Amino acid sequence: MIKSLLEQWKAGQEQKRAIEAERWEQEKRWREEDRAARLEKEAEQARLKAAQEKSGQEARAEEEQSQKEKDKRSSDLYGQLYGVHHDLLNTAGTVSFVQLECHEDTWSYIARQAFGMWQPRWTTSVLGEAGGPPADGKFTKDPNLSEGRIVKHSNGMQVITVSGDNLTRILEALFDRTYDFLLAGSLNDKDHLHRATSRPLYRRLKEIVQEVDQTDRYTPGRKFSIDVRVEAPAEAGE
């Protein structure tokens, strides 16, 4: 009886060990399968990340190349425009003087770009003089417009006697305002406003200089209207 019970107990222990061993093997297989799945997932994530980085690098490279090509086109265009502008300056520099007819606000804009400051009411650039800028004012370049070189009319129009030296300065300032965005690569809101004003003014002054250049016998002091759409103002006293 005791022997039989002992054998049954031994058999039960053997069965438990077999079950534990089988459970261990099963858990081992599960751990290995989980590890293999995890490694495969990590490998796939690594491949995806590498592909995304490569794609991003390629996209950035394409964007950089596109920007370089755009910058080169802008630079080439600026160079072409400045070549024509340079010839224009050479012609303007040979002008003794011309008279420019425009509204006082138009002249104020032009003068601010070219000489650094101006007010519509001024009739001279002499510092501290009546009708001129304050004594402590500072021009970036003195326009040398003494009394009598600006004739005002009651409708806001005026005639300004401009030397060839000042004409080149004005053309250069308006050219910069019109075309510097080609070098900067973009236009902000303020640049858009400046360009909307400076571009037609530059084109009109360009036409004036070209007209002077095509004249066989140029007469110094010829009067040109900057705004060709307005009628000439009545002379003072009329």
Side-chain angles (χ1 to χ4, degrees), residues 41-56:
K41 183 177 180 180
E42 290 174 353
E44 180 63 22
Q45 289 175 340
R47 285 193 295 270
L48 288 173
K49 183 178 179 181
Q52 289 172 350
E53 289 178 351
K54 182 179 179 181
S55 177

Side-chain angles (χ1 to χ4, degrees), residues 28 66 78 90 115 127 130 133 149 154 157 159 162 168 173 232 237:
K28 182 180 178 182
S66 176
Y78 183 89
N90 288 337
F115 310 120
L127 300 178
R149 294 181 182 176
S154 59
M157 298 295 287
V159 178
V162 177
T168 59

Side-chain angles (χ1 to χ4, degrees), residues 17-227:
R17 283 194 291 269
I19 292 172
E20 289 294 332
E22 184 178 352
R23 182 183 298 166
W24 168 259
E25 290 296 330
Q26 181 63 48
E27 291 177 352
K28 182 180 178 182
R29 286 194 296 270
W30 287 341
R31 287 194 298 271
E32 291 176 349
E33 289 172 358
D34 290 345
R35 181 173 179 276
R38 185 176 65 255
L39 292 175
E40 183 177 352
K41 183 177 180 180
E42 290 174 353
E44 180 63 22
Q45 289 175 340
R47 285 193 295 270
L48 288 173
K49 183 178 179 181
Q52 289 172 350
E53 289 178 351
K54 182 179 179 181
S55 177
Q57 290 171 353
E58 291 174 349
R60 286 192 295 272
E62 290 178 1
E63 184 178 349
E64 289 173 0
Q65 182 62 29
S66 176
Q67 186 61 47
K68 287 180 181 179
E69 292 174 357
K70 181 181 177 181
D71 291 344
K72 186 178 186 304
R73 288 194 298 270
S74 295
S75 179
D76 290 346
L77 177 58
Y78 183 89
Q80 294 170 10
L81 291 169
Y82 197 84
V84 175
H85 173 67
H86 185 266
D87 293 339
L88 193 69
L89 294 180
N90 288 337
T91 301
T94 65
V95 173
S96 177
F97 67 94
V98 294
Q99 291 184 320
L100 299 180
E101 180 184 60
C102 62
H103 193 275
E104 59 187 14
D105 290 342
T106 302
W107 172 250
S108 295
Y109 176 83
I110 292 172
R112 286 167 186 161
Q113 308 313 307
F115 310 120
M117 65 175 185
W118 198 266
Q119 292 296 330
R121 66 179 182 275
W122 292 350
T123 57
T124 177
S125 65
V126 179
L127 300 178
E129 189 168 308
D136 59 352
K138 291 184 180 180
F139 288 105
T140 53
K141 177 188 181 301
D142 185 358
N144 190 28
L145 294 173
S146 56
E147 192 68 36
R149 294 181 182 176
I150 299 177
V151 179
K152 285 184 171 292
H153 302 285
S154 59
N155 61 357
M157 298 295 287
Q158 58 184 25
V159 178
I160 310 98
T161 300
V162 177
S163 67
D165 178 51
N166 280 345
L167 191 56
T168 59
R169 178 79 173 201
I170 289 169
L171 285 166
E172 183 74 358
L174 294 179
F175 180 89
D176 289 345
R177 280 298 191 186
T178 302
Y179 296 113
D180 268 3
F181 78 96
L182 291 171
L183 299 180
S186 62
L187 279 170
N188 58 38
D189 292 342
K190 188 175 181 180
D191 291 333
H192 276 294
L193 291 174
H194 274 299
R195 189 165 186 256
T197 304
S198 64
R199 187 176 185 182
L201 291 174
Y202 177 79
R203 286 180 171 178
R204 177 57 184 146
L205 288 171
K206 179 180 177 181
E207 291 172 356
I208 291 172
V209 173
Q210 289 173 336
E211 185 175 342
V212 169
D213 190 35
Q214 293 167 2
T215 303
D216 293 334
R217 304 188 68 176
Y218 165 64
T219 301
R222 184 177 173 185
K223 183 167 68 174
F224 296 92
S225 176
I226 291 180
D227 188 343

